[in-house]
Amino acid sequence: MPLTKCETLAIRAEADVVLVRQAVRKLAIEQGFGLVEQTKIVTAASEIARNTLDYGGGGEAVLECHTDGIRKGLRLVFSDQGPGIKDIGQAMRDGFTTGGGLGHGLGGAKRLVEEFDIVSAPGSGTRVTLVRWK
Amino acid sequence: MSDTQLHDLISRHEVDLQAEWAKAITSAGSAREDLMKPEELRLQCSDLLRRLRQALKHGGTHDLTGPEWKEVREMLVGVSRTRASQGFTPSETANFVFSLKEPLFQRLRSELSAKPAQLAEETWSASTLIDKMGLLTMETFQQAREDVIRRQQEAMLELSTPVVKLWDGILALPLIGTLDSARTQVVMESLLQRVVAEGTVVVILDITGVPTVDTLVAQHLLKTVTAARLMGTDCIISGIRPQIAQTIVHLGVDLTSVITKASLADAFKIALARRNLMVVKRTAAVAAPVPAGV
Ligand SMILES: Nc1ncnc2c1ncn2[C@@H]1O[C@H](COP(=O)(O)OP(=O)(O)O)[C@@H](O)[C@H]1O
Ligand SMILES: [Mg+2]
């Protein structure tokens, strides 16, 4: 899948989460996403960016535009060097939270995109990849 | 005694130096006449030159942190702060100070052409002094820019919540902005307190102006509704656009305990019903009553 555009944003403060959402919204519009598709990818990005900040202690988001034949898509990679997740299955479960949240962020984000990947281990940080096609 | 030399040179040529300096700034392309009037720039040049001359007169060293340099420091800090907020670039701001080198060195050259060793020494000394002034300017500029960015970021997290009275006992709170910040819950609860104190029976939280509803926003809303209920006020959430409704379903957030409506108008209808009120079309039979006693 050829990459047509790429930008990296730091996630260090609450305002950065807002900036990530704005940037994802802009790229989604550029890729021709409809209103519902835009809202889904922006909301998924918001969930994961928030986790990167709150649990990962900050990190970065790499936002990529891809074209695969006539298909256009967005691939978003969030990474941090935080404590990592011990039990990914448990973290993915709706309602599980260690931070007093609703515990629907990871599961919800997964349901809002077409491809979802999480790599995490205690001590080696967390990387979440979201892909959504138009 | 290089300070005396430089001081004397500036006093002898002060007016010319001012003009040459301002010209050097302009030819470096750093005058930005779109942002600052030429007179203002000339005034800044003459003011700084005067302060520099005074500092050189009183000061034995080029240590800019010393008390005799206070006036120069204050001027540089002021100049770079203003430029940062006016939209000058870092190099345009730095050039304001560095452009003084050219006319100053020229004067030194013509006065000391017969004494090359002294010329080299004086030039070096003047150069390091102006570098220090430039550095201070840049540090302040950077700091000021960071302040501007921080203010912008805070503004981005702002939540605007006008209180709109729709009817006796029915208030609407149009939420505009982001519901992300740690402060959100505090803002919402103090707002509710006010609303309840006013004897409100139904509050409509309208989220039409909230671009994204993720689980954190949903949690803030749920907490607010619960808090309102405990205070004896009903809450209705309006402005749930179709795309937001779909997204909430995928997030798996349960909003069934809350009354949600697509539009503020729909929410208002429910609120009226709660208060046992209704809106009826006026017909001839129910014409507006003639006010009694008029
Ligand atoms: N980047 C991360 N680093 C460490 N732990 C994480 C990270 N992201 C998520 N987690 C863990 O997974 C849990 C579930 O996350 P999520 O589904 O977003 O729910 P919530 O944010 O409401 O807790 C978190 O409470 C946290 O323990
Ligand atoms: Mg989360």
Side-chain angles (χ1 to χ4, degrees), chain A residues 47-48 50-51 54-55 103-106, chain B residues 215:
Chain A
E47 292 297 343
I48 306 304
R50 170 70 49 191
N51 285 352
D54 287 353
Y55 303 114
H104 283 244
L106 287 174
Chain B
T215 60

Side-chain angles (χ1 to χ4, degrees), chain B residues 158-175:
Chain B
E158 234 160 54
L159 174 67
S160 150
T161 47
V163 179
V164 184
K165 182 168 177 179
L166 296 179
W167 201 264
D168 287 337
I170 304 175
L171 284 190
L173 298 179
L175 306 177

